[in-house]
Amino acid sequence: MTDSSGNVPDASGDAPDAAAIQARLLAERAATQTQIEALNRDFTAIVEANALVAVDDEHDPDGSSTAFERAHVSSLLTQARTHLDHLDEALSRLAEGGYGICETCGTKISPERLDIRPATTQCVGCAGAAPR
């Protein structure tokens, strides 16, 4: 359900402010990009520090913690990159007029859910019903 401008009306009948939504998504995207850059620096520092010593994870008491740190930062990087992709997809949906519509059931996603998870593609009901 969209109005003549392609926006989905909210419960009061008013169209959501696309400019405000876009600004929020872009701000979150910028913050995520900054996080990715910091994590990349952390990962590089761990790898470089590790290269300065002979690493034998099995016999070096610090080897396992270094491997854990590297794996942890790598996992955080993967999550941040995935979030960045989801934000880009949300920006595309906003531009195409499909932002805020559940991709599963086609109903409007509540503004409260979009406030918490602005890049979400599902309403609470469908997200809760999805297998994990």
Side-chain angles (χ1 to χ4, degrees), residues 28-29 32 35 78-88 118-119:
E28 190 162 336
R29 187 184 191 290
T32 303
Q35 179 186 24
T78 298
Q79 290 173 5
R81 288 177 180 141
T82 299
H83 185 60
L84 189 68
D85 289 343
H86 290 167
L87 290 167
D88 287 340

Side-chain angles (χ1 to χ4, degrees), residues 18-100:
I21 294 168
Q22 182 181 32
R24 167 117 192 262
L25 291 170
L26 289 172
E28 190 162 336
R29 187 184 191 290
T32 303
Q33 187 63 46
T34 299
Q35 179 186 24
I36 289 170
E37 291 165 3
L39 288 168
N40 276 326
R41 285 190 301 273
D42 290 348
F43 188 84
T44 299
I46 292 167
V47 170
E48 287 174 354
N50 214 20
L52 298 175
V53 294
V55 177
D56 179 0
D57 285 357
E58 187 174 329
H59 299 102
D60 181 4
D62 291 329
S64 60
S65 63
T66 301
F68 173 79
E69 280 184 63
R70 190 174 53 239
H72 180 71
V73 171
S74 179
S75 176
L76 291 173
L77 260 170
T78 298
Q79 290 173 5
R81 288 177 180 141
T82 299
H83 185 60
L84 189 68
D85 289 343
H86 290 167
L87 290 167
D88 287 340
E89 292 165 3
L91 285 163
S92 292
R93 286 192 307 278
L94 182 63
E96 296 167 359
Y99 181 81

Side-chain angles (χ1 to χ4, degrees), residues 107-122:
T107 62
K108 183 179 178 291
I109 299 171
S110 72
E112 295 83 10
R113 179 159 171 80
L114 291 171
D115 281 343
I116 295 167
R117 300 188 61 139
T120 191
T121 60
Q122 291 182 309

